[in-house]
Amino acid sequence: MCAGGTVVRACVSSVSDQPLEGKTLLFCPQTSSKTRVAARNVVHETLGPTHDAQNALSYRECFNLFWNDRMIEEVREWTNANIRQEAAKYGRVQVTQAPVTLLELKALIGILIFAGSHKDNHMSTREMWRVMSSPVYRAVMSVGRFEFLINCLRFDDPDTRFERRATDKFAPIRKIWDIFSDNCRQMYTPSEHLCVDEQLVAFRGKCPFRMYIPLKPAKYGLKIFMLTDNETKYLCAAIPYLGKGTVESVFGENLGHTVVKSLALSFKSKYHSRQLVHMKEVADRDPGSSAFAFIRDITILSYVSRKASKAKKNVMLLSSMHTQPSIGDSGKPEIIEFYNSTKGGVDTFDQMCGAYSTARKTRRWTLSMFYAMLNAGLINAWIIHGLNKQRTGSHFIQRKASLQELALDLMKPHAQHWLDESRIFQSLRLNICSVFQLPSTGASAGPSGVTTMKDSRFPSVRCKYCEGKLDRKTRYRCQRCSNPICLSHTVGLCHNCI
């Protein structure tokens, strides 16, 4: 034992789950420190992406593992049901109020992802669609269409919502939440070190289970209990907290034990838990002192902090992994050092969510949860993508670039469909072709055809179709063949004739 740490005897009142009453407490280790790792702490499964996830090589394929067509189709069905109700309020239904297609809904998700990668999610939609902003947003849909779809997004059947909410406060988004949670559990086998903590999704609107946590940056929001893999920060499982008495009633136990038990339910073949231990306070304990007790496969620790601000604060831990009263070089017990090294999984996951968040200001808690699931799916997909790239030895690009590539991939099919429409402005047509690197439609090269031009920032060179003796220079290029062409060899049409 290193200097600076003191081991003393401890008083143990009870251990639930398997009560200690009538049991013999040992104040010395049950096994030798030279003994190999106990069989109960050995993980036999292959860690990392499961078989289905290993086949996803591109970021788009990894994202589809978590946000598959089944989930998006569910959102589209109930969004269109709401659109029909909203469209009935207009005297004349326009394109802005048309039903949403699967391609357009994916493009909407792509816009949210692209805005998050550029940190434009805090901007108003009018600012995002200005000419001075990114041309990507204008190349996918109009600002009015984007606002209309965001306002109409729904996730469940409104006709049965009232009955379901009587027994489940989370009913308006429960179905796609369960699908997403199942996808997270099925696509990854976690390591032996998991972390359970809470995430607060920022929200200040009306919600029956909105929480106030002053120590969190957002302070007001929706609390989610999360189980993450400490090595990769992958989100393995999550449970929304819906208020007092909702989670505890599942097992009839205290909140902390119930949450851990519920989250680890899918991994019970690998993990087991004990209820929390209460160790009596000792008034005459010295700062930095440690008290150990041992029973069966459990090590119980009571540690008094050295910090003056936490004087006499009793830190209690229970471990089924450690078997020795070991003190580390820092003067703290090895159990505490190990805990400190494996406790930050959820906090890091939360930081990753905030770095490129898709969330926008909203007064609807269901929309906030939709953004939270979208953020979680993007992170899990990025982790799976990185592990697959590492396994195959392929080049791995950074997260921001991956998000932008995914966003453009989601938006491009809808933009191509929009480009095929006959009545769109020429400036919009050029913008779509420029953003998604598509060939211009409805144009032909040469002096007798319709010619559309790229921007005029090219070097000034001689026009291809003018006589050499004229030596006429131009900065314009044909949109289709990229030949230099002057204005006298172009044909102008209005936007209705293109």
Side-chain angles (χ1 to χ4, degrees):
M1 182 175 64
C2 299
T6 305
V7 178
V8 300
R9 295 173 68 96
C11 298
V12 181
S13 60
S14 65
V15 178
S16 302
D17 209 33
Q18 291 184 350
L20 291 181
E21 288 81 355
K23 305 298 182 181
T24 302
L25 292 180
L26 303 177
F27 297 99
C28 60
Q30 291 183 320
T31 59
S32 171
S33 59
K34 298 181 180 180
T35 304
R36 66 180 179 84
V37 178
R40 64 177 181 273
N41 294 320
V42 177
V43 179
H44 300 282
E45 289 86 348
T46 302
L47 310 181
T50 59
H51 178 72
D52 294 336
Q54 289 178 1
N55 297 326
L57 298 181
S58 68
Y59 192 26
R60 171 68 182 274
E61 292 174 334
C62 294
F63 180 72
N64 290 342
L65 297 175
F66 305 96
W67 277 86
N68 50 32
D69 285 349
R70 178 189 173 192
M71 286 183 64
I72 299 177
E73 183 61 38
E74 185 74 18
V75 177
R76 189 191 72 86
E77 178 182 357
W78 304 119
T79 298
N80 279 337
N82 190 52
I83 286 177
R84 288 190 290 270
Q85 294 181 354
E86 293 295 322
K89 300 177 182 178
Y90 294 85
R92 178 184 176 186
V93 179
Q94 301 179 353
V95 177
T96 305
Q97 295 86 40
V100 63
T101 63
L102 195 63
L103 285 181
E104 191 176 19
L105 190 54
K106 291 181 179 180
L108 178 70
I109 294 176
I111 291 177
L112 295 174
I113 296 173
F114 191 85
S117 67
H118 280 261
K119 299 186 183 297
D120 291 343
N121 56 320
H122 68 283
M123 298 171 59
S124 67
T125 53
R126 300 294 170 176
E127 290 179 305
M128 291 170 58
W129 262 259
R130 284 179 181 172
V131 177
M132 299 302 294
S133 300
S134 175
V136 173
Y137 308 121
R138 301 188 301 275
V140 182
M141 65 180 65
S142 67
V143 59
R145 180 62 170 171
F146 177 81
E147 293 176 337
F148 182 76
L149 290 181
I150 289 293
N151 291 332
C152 290
L153 279 178
R154 295 297 185 273
F155 313 100
D156 73 319
D157 186 358
D159 295 334
T160 62
R161 184 183 302 156
F162 181 78
E163 299 175 1
R164 289 181 285 110
R165 291 186 72 167
T167 56
D168 182 11
K169 297 178 183 179
F170 208 62
I173 201 171
R174 173 64 72 181
K175 187 170 184 178
I176 68 166
W177 171 271
D178 289 343
I179 297 174
F180 177 75
S181 298
D182 290 340
N183 291 339
C184 291
R185 284 191 290 266
Q186 294 171 6
M187 299 303 166
Y188 186 82
T189 303
S191 66
E192 65 270 22
H193 299 148
L194 301 181
C195 176
V196 177
D197 206 344
E198 60 188 29
Q199 180 193 52
L200 190 70
V201 178
F203 181 72
R204 286 181 172 265
K206 292 183 178 180
C207 180
F209 46 88
R210 188 190 68 177
M211 300 291 296
Y212 172 68
I213 305 179
L215 297 180
K216 294 288 186 179
K219 292 182 173 57
Y220 290 92
L222 313 174
K223 185 162 71 172
I224 304 176
F225 293 108
M226 292 184 168
L227 176 75
T228 60
D229 184 359
N230 187 70
E231 292 187 10
T232 62
K233 317 310 179 205
Y234 180 93
L235 177 63
C236 302
I239 298 176
Y241 182 62
L242 308 180
K244 185 176 181 180
T246 55
V247 178
E248 298 91 329
S249 61
V250 177
F251 295 105
E253 299 163 344
N254 64 72
L255 178 62
H257 189 206
T258 300
V259 167
V260 174
K261 202 170 186 178
S262 301
L263 290 173
L265 200 60
S266 301
F267 314 105
K268 61 184 180 181
S269 60
K270 294 166 54 180
Y271 304 98
H272 59 283
S273 65
R274 297 287 191 276
Q275 276 200 351
L276 301 181
V277 178
H278 172 68
M279 303 183 74
K280 295 179 180 179
E281 298 287 349
V282 181
D284 57 351
R285 291 273 296 278
D286 296 329
S289 63
S290 303
F292 290 86
F294 305 87
I295 181 173
R296 296 198 190 94
D297 56 350
I298 304 172
T299 299
I300 306 168
L301 167 68
S302 172
Y303 174 72
V304 179
S305 176
R306 288 178 173 275
K307 295 183 179 180
S309 59
K310 300 180 180 179
K312 297 299 181 183
K313 183 175 181 181
N314 191 10
V315 180
M316 296 169 289
L317 290 93
L318 180 149
S319 175
S320 61
M321 178 177 179
H322 299 82
T323 60
Q324 299 293 314
S326 303
I327 305 297
D329 295 336
S330 64
K332 297 179 181 178
E334 181 188 353
I335 296 178
I336 290 184
E337 291 181 344
F338 177 81
Y339 168 77
N340 290 337
S341 67
T342 58
K343 70 176 182 179
V346 175
D347 291 337
T348 304
F349 182 87
D350 196 18
Q351 291 176 353
M352 294 172 68
C353 288
Y356 302 108
S357 176
T358 62
R360 301 183 59 80
K361 288 185 178 179
T362 178
R363 296 180 180 179
R364 294 162 45 206
W365 68 264
T366 53
L367 203 53
S368 290
M369 293 302 301
F370 169 76
Y371 294 142
M373 283 189 288
L374 195 55
N375 290 333
L378 289 170
I379 294 174
N380 277 2
W382 186 68
I383 294 171
I384 294 290
H385 181 55
L387 293 174
N388 287 342
K389 287 287 186 180
Q390 182 180 1
R391 188 185 71 256
T392 58
S394 304
H395 176 67
F396 180 68
I397 60 178
Q398 296 298 318
R399 186 182 170 205
K400 182 177 181 179
S402 299
L403 288 171
Q404 294 174 1
E405 181 181 333
L406 171 63
L408 293 175
D409 196 18
L410 288 170
M411 294 184 287
K412 187 174 182 179
H414 174 66
Q416 287 179 310
H417 178 74
W418 198 14
L419 192 63
D420 294 336
E421 296 291 333
S422 59
R423 298 176 66 88
I424 63 174
F425 289 100
Q426 180 67 11
S427 59
L428 177 59
R429 186 183 297 274
L430 294 177
N431 185 35
I432 295 175
C433 294
S434 176
V435 168
F436 297 101
Q437 300 180 355
L438 299 173
S440 177
T441 58
S444 60
S448 60
V450 178
T451 305
T452 58
M453 294 167 291
K454 299 179 180 179
D455 58 26
S456 58
R457 292 178 293 181
F458 290 98
S460 181
V461 296
R462 181 179 296 173
C463 175
K464 179 178 177 59
Y465 302 102
C466 288
E467 296 182 7
K469 63 182 180 179
L470 295 178
D471 194 27
R472 185 174 294 165
K473 301 291 178 47
T474 179
R475 292 181 181 275
Y476 292 101
R477 302 290 188 274
C478 175
Q479 180 70 30
R480 172 166 292 184
C481 66
S482 298
N483 287 328
I485 188 169
C486 67
L487 294 179
S488 62
H489 288 99
T490 63
V491 177
L493 297 175
C494 71
H495 69 273
N496 289 328
C497 296
I498 295 176

